[in-house]
Amino acid sequence: MQTPTLTPDDFDWLEDALSTMAQAGLQAPDWSYCEGFLTALECTRREVADDEVWPVLFGEGFRPMAHMEFVWRWRRRRAEIAAALDAPVDDLNDPRALQPQVLDLRGLWHGDPEHRGDVRLEELPCWGQQWAEGFLTVVGSWPEEWAEPRDSEWAAMLADALGSIERLSQPDRDPPTVSLLEGVDTPTISEQRQIDFDDAIWSAYDLRRLWKSLGPRQAPLRTPSVPGRNDLCPCGSGMKYKKCHGR
């Protein structure tokens, strides 16, 4: 039986759960960041187990058994992202395509002035920025799995894809022209930002294909070193190798 996809209510629950974790002292990020983090996990050269993930994402204080409902939804979303990245799509409007759950916090700021508090607009991340930061956290946390391939064509593909995601991690410096939120007339996103966001999503597809094509890293074959003829024999006899096991 196929597991149902996460609903808007599920994502609201995840945001609330992360907020509760942060209030309890964990270094819990927003869900937009987690979306990028999860996407990068599914683009990493080897499968990274949850036990490796939790300390990076939440710090050493996270206890999965105390947050099983969060873990359950996390794993469901991870499976959804993997399926989307493996789907044969050529248009991001395809319902099978990856659709990151990313909030426009600046749009929400304009749309809900009563709950702004002391937060200034320029303090809020731009649309897509947290997603990209979450993705790049995975790249930086498991660098051996993101090492440049020897093949120049593959290496160029890796650099180009990561460059697209790094651009999205920067602030949106172009004039805003678009509002993504219903009922919010003030534009908060530039046209270039939308292009950069789509480029980053396609880059995730490229990275998934890249590492699946290359396969897991192979540990280098290590051959035991042979002592020189005048070195002491490794057997511990105290004799020179040439007069002991080197004969």
Side-chain angles (χ1 to χ4, degrees):
M1 180 177 179
Q2 186 176 7
T3 303
T5 58
L6 294 184
T7 66
D9 287 343
D10 286 311
F11 290 113
D12 288 342
W13 187 95
L14 287 164
E15 286 283 7
D16 291 342
L18 290 169
S19 178
T20 300
M21 291 181 203
Q23 293 171 8
L26 292 173
Q27 56 183 42
D30 290 342
W31 183 253
S32 296
Y33 180 99
C34 291
E35 281 277 311
F37 196 103
L38 276 167
T39 304
L41 288 176
E42 290 308 312
C43 295
T44 301
R45 188 162 189 175
R46 70 166 173 87
E47 183 174 354
V48 180
D50 286 344
D51 288 347
E52 297 178 73
V53 168
W54 306 136
V56 174
L57 192 60
F58 296 119
E60 297 297 336
F62 183 80
R63 299 292 179 265
M65 293 301 294
H67 302 281
M68 284 307 297
E69 196 166 353
F70 175 88
V71 172
W72 176 63
R73 285 182 170 88
W74 170 274
R75 290 173 176 168
R76 286 173 60 193
R77 182 57 179 160
R78 183 169 180 175
E80 289 177 8
I81 290 173
L85 290 173
D86 287 337
V89 300
D90 54 17
D91 185 340
L92 293 180
N93 291 319
D94 189 317
R96 298 171 298 171
L98 178 62
Q99 302 290 340
Q101 299 298 311
V102 175
L103 290 177
D104 176 16
L105 294 178
R106 296 191 174 200
L108 291 173
W109 186 92
H110 282 293
D112 192 7
E114 294 183 2
H115 293 89
R116 291 177 186 171
D118 297 328
V119 177
R120 295 179 297 174
L121 181 65
E122 58 271 19
E123 294 174 343
L124 296 173
C126 300
W127 182 65
Q129 191 170 2
Q130 289 176 301
W131 182 93
E133 290 171 351
F135 195 108
L136 294 174
T137 295
V138 171
V139 176
S141 299
W142 289 275
E144 67 281 1
E145 304 302 335
W146 291 85
E148 182 179 282
R150 294 182 180 178
D151 181 87
S152 60
E153 185 175 344
W154 290 120
M157 183 178 178
L158 174 64
D160 183 65
L162 289 179
S164 295
I165 295 167
E166 287 167 359
R167 280 194 296 276
L168 192 65
S169 73
Q170 301 303 310
D172 183 2
R173 304 191 188 281
D174 290 306
T177 58
V178 178
S179 172
L180 297 181
L181 297 179
E182 185 177 350
V184 177
D185 297 327
T186 305
T188 56
I189 299 168
S190 71
E191 291 182 14
Q192 183 60 48
R193 191 64 167 189
Q194 291 181 294
I195 294 171
D196 290 343
F197 188 84
D198 286 355
D199 285 347
I201 302 307
W202 284 124
S203 293
Y205 277 91
D206 290 341
L207 290 165
R208 173 85 165 175
R209 286 194 293 268
L210 169 65
W211 294 133
K212 288 188 76 171
S213 297
L214 293 178
R217 291 184 308 116
Q218 298 297 317
L221 181 63
R222 300 185 182 277
T223 57
S225 59
V226 178
R229 288 181 54 77
N230 289 316
D231 294 336
L232 290 177
C233 188
C235 74
S237 66
M239 299 174 63
K240 289 185 178 181
Y241 180 67
K242 65 184 180 182
K243 293 185 177 182
C244 191
H245 283 82
R247 291 188 293 180

